[in-house]
Amino acid sequence: SMGLNEEQKGFQKVAFDFAAREMAPNMAEWDQKELFPVDVMRKAALLGFGGVYVRTDVGGSGLSRLDTSVIFEALATGCTSTTAYISIHNMCAWMIDSFGNEEQRHKFCPPLCTMEKFASYCLTEPGSGSDAASLLTSAKRQGDHYILNGSKAFISGGGESDIYVVMCRTGGPGPKGISCIVVEKGTPGLSFGKKEKKVGWNSQPTRAVIFEDCAVPVANRIGSEGQGFLIAMKGLNGGRINIASCSLGAAHASVILTRDHLNVRKQFGEPLASKQYLQFKLADMATRLVASRLMIRNAAVALQEEREDAMALCSMAKLFATDECFAICNQALQMHGGYGYLKDYAVQQYARDSRVHQILEGSNEVMRMLISRSLLQE
């Protein structure tokens, strides 16, 4: 809670309590049975976590980016995978709230904020991951509809979500030819691939999202034609803070589990906690956790204030924190010894669920590219 005001400490406590009560006891079952915990997420929405930084007039909580990071870190101690999906859902709701017109905001945001409906972010394609501006999914205008053709890959919530925020090509090649269109589940021509089998993130389904002559009203376009790539990138700046905050939660929980394990587990006639080597390892883990947290919170404030360095700071925070927090989780597993490799012990799940954070929302190699580009342009 260092540096937080009383209101933020209140948000944090509510999120920690919810994570401990509703998420942590179920996290292993959700993972092993690959369950999408709709009911629990809707309980989280009752606390205001369905639209954390969406404006209040459409049902959001109207909180800041820093508040959001604090909440997602706390929730992720209960289940990192589920919290990561909630963070993506929040990003989609914010994009509609920020760039949609009043009719779109009032149509789509209220059911998203209550999580009556769920949202997915559709940017990545089989042939365009890091090079998102080369996406091929097309949207050709015919009268008052766009006809979408193409497919999106690795979509969190695919097949289960009700709202798909889709980046598609309405113009020529490159970023300026991309627009943002909301596609609702049940639209003819919208279908889904098989559910992917993943190392982690098993409490949320991942599928391809497929468009075959899928007719979507022009009224569902968010922003103007050609604005889609800008909307997508602005969404990702916040998404990077969110996903890094989920890594914080996994690392936070892993440090606590490791501390408790060292105090209980005995070898050579004394607790592991008495071994100076392990004491120093635990100290390094806690230090890296706090450093990551400070970087993320600094970037969250910069993004909230719309500072010029916000994009670079968000990229730095995502790069540093997701690398460091996975290393913390991995070290925690190691310090649990053989027990750490058993699914009866939560530490292995935090490691599996946080590993993908180094890849998605822009891989950490792409983060380095964005940071270096920002530095070289100064």
Side-chain angles (χ1 to χ4, degrees):
S1 299
M2 181 177 61
L4 302 183
N5 61 38
E6 290 306 311
E7 188 177 32
Q8 289 164 336
K9 290 176 184 177
F11 301 146
Q12 185 183 54
K13 184 180 187 307
V14 169
F16 271 131
D17 289 348
F18 183 84
R21 184 179 68 254
E22 300 284 352
M23 300 174 81
N26 300 305
M27 133 175 145
E29 182 183 15
W30 295 342
D31 173 68
Q32 291 173 31
K33 295 182 179 178
E34 299 185 3
L35 300 176
F36 190 51
V38 168
D39 290 344
V40 170
M41 288 191 288
R42 285 177 177 155
K43 288 182 182 179
L46 291 174
L47 299 173
F49 301 154
V52 182
Y53 51 109
V54 171
R55 284 174 280 178
T56 57
D57 67 316
V58 289
S61 298
L63 300 182
S64 72
R65 298 290 188 158
L66 176 56
D67 301 334
T68 304
S69 175
V70 170
I71 288 167
F72 286 157
E73 176 183 354
L75 289 178
T77 62
C79 180
T80 303
S81 167
T82 303
T83 306
Y85 174 77
I86 293 173
S87 82
I88 295 167
H89 171 91
N90 270 264
M91 179 177 69
C92 293
W94 174 84
M95 291 164 70
I96 296 171
D97 180 44
S98 296
F99 296 97
N101 58 38
E102 288 304 302
E103 183 179 350
Q104 291 166 335
R105 292 180 64 242
H106 286 273
K107 175 183 178 181
F108 294 119
C109 290
L112 292 177
C113 291
T114 61
M115 287 191 153
E116 174 192 340
K117 293 186 176 181
F118 295 95
S120 289
Y121 177 76
C122 300
L123 176 64
T124 299
E125 297 184 359
S128 64
S130 297
D131 183 16
S134 68
L135 65 84
L136 296 175
T137 296
S138 64
K140 296 183 178 179
R141 186 162 180 170
Q142 291 185 5
D144 59 357
H145 283 74
Y146 287 105
I147 310 300
L148 274 64
N149 281 284
S151 64
K152 298 292 180 177
F154 306 126
I155 304 305
S156 294
E160 298 292 336
S161 291
D162 307 281
I163 300 292
Y164 296 86
V165 181
V166 182
M167 306 306 150
C168 46
R169 191 163 298 285
T170 54
K176 293 182 180 179
I178 296 171
S179 297
C180 177
I181 297 174
V182 170
V183 182
E184 299 173 72
K185 189 176 183 180
T187 302
L190 172 65
S191 62
F192 307 97
K194 66 176 177 63
K195 189 165 81 167
E196 305 289 358
K197 302 295 287 184
K198 307 189 297 290
V199 171
W201 269 30
N202 289 318
S203 68
Q204 48 168 299
T206 300
R207 293 184 176 90
V209 177
I210 303 162
F211 307 98
E212 297 174 292
D213 292 330
C214 181
V216 182
V218 171
N220 281 23
R221 188 188 69 226
I222 304 298
S224 57
E225 278 202 4
Q227 196 181 6
F229 192 75
L230 172 67
I231 294 171
M233 293 303 105
K234 284 188 175 290
L236 280 178
N237 281 333
R240 287 163 184 158
I241 294 294
N242 294 347
I243 219 68
S245 301
C246 292
S247 286
L248 283 181
H252 182 138
S254 296
V255 169
I256 292 171
L257 288 172
T258 304
R259 177 200 65 191
D260 294 346
H261 181 74
L262 295 182
N263 280 319
V264 171
R265 175 72 167 156
K266 289 186 177 181
Q267 289 289 278
F268 306 105
E270 56 187 5
L272 290 177
S274 67
K275 307 297 183 184
Q276 190 179 64
Y277 175 82
L278 296 177
Q279 293 172 6
F280 284 4
K281 282 289 184 184
L282 188 63
D284 285 344
M285 292 160 67
T287 301
R288 294 158 90 173
L289 172 61
V290 172
S292 299
R293 182 181 292 133
L294 292 174
M295 279 198 76
I296 290 169
R297 292 184 180 177
N298 179 56
V301 172
L303 186 61
Q304 185 69 36
E305 295 175 350
E306 299 182 349
R307 284 167 28 194
E308 287 186 8
D309 60 352
M311 186 274 288
L313 289 173
C314 290
S315 300
M316 289 177 184
K318 195 270 184 183
L319 165 65
F320 184 84
T322 58
D323 278 354
E324 291 297 310
C325 289
F326 174 73
I328 291 167
C329 295
N330 195 43
Q331 183 63 49
L333 191 157
Q334 183 73 17
M335 290 166 73
H336 276 71
Y339 292 104
Y341 208 62
L342 301 179
K343 287 197 172 180
D344 291 335
Y345 286 73
V347 68
Q348 51 75 34
Q349 189 172 336
Y350 290 117
R352 288 187 291 108
D353 283 345
S354 62
R355 177 59 181 88
V356 73
H357 299 177
Q358 296 168 283
I359 300 172
L360 48 76
E361 306 285 19
S363 71
N364 284 2
E365 290 72 23
V366 171
M367 295 304 98
R368 291 180 172 90
M369 179 185 72
L370 294 174
I371 295 162
S372 61
R373 184 178 296 167
S374 175
L375 290 169
L376 292 169
Q377 288 175 348
E378 287 184 355

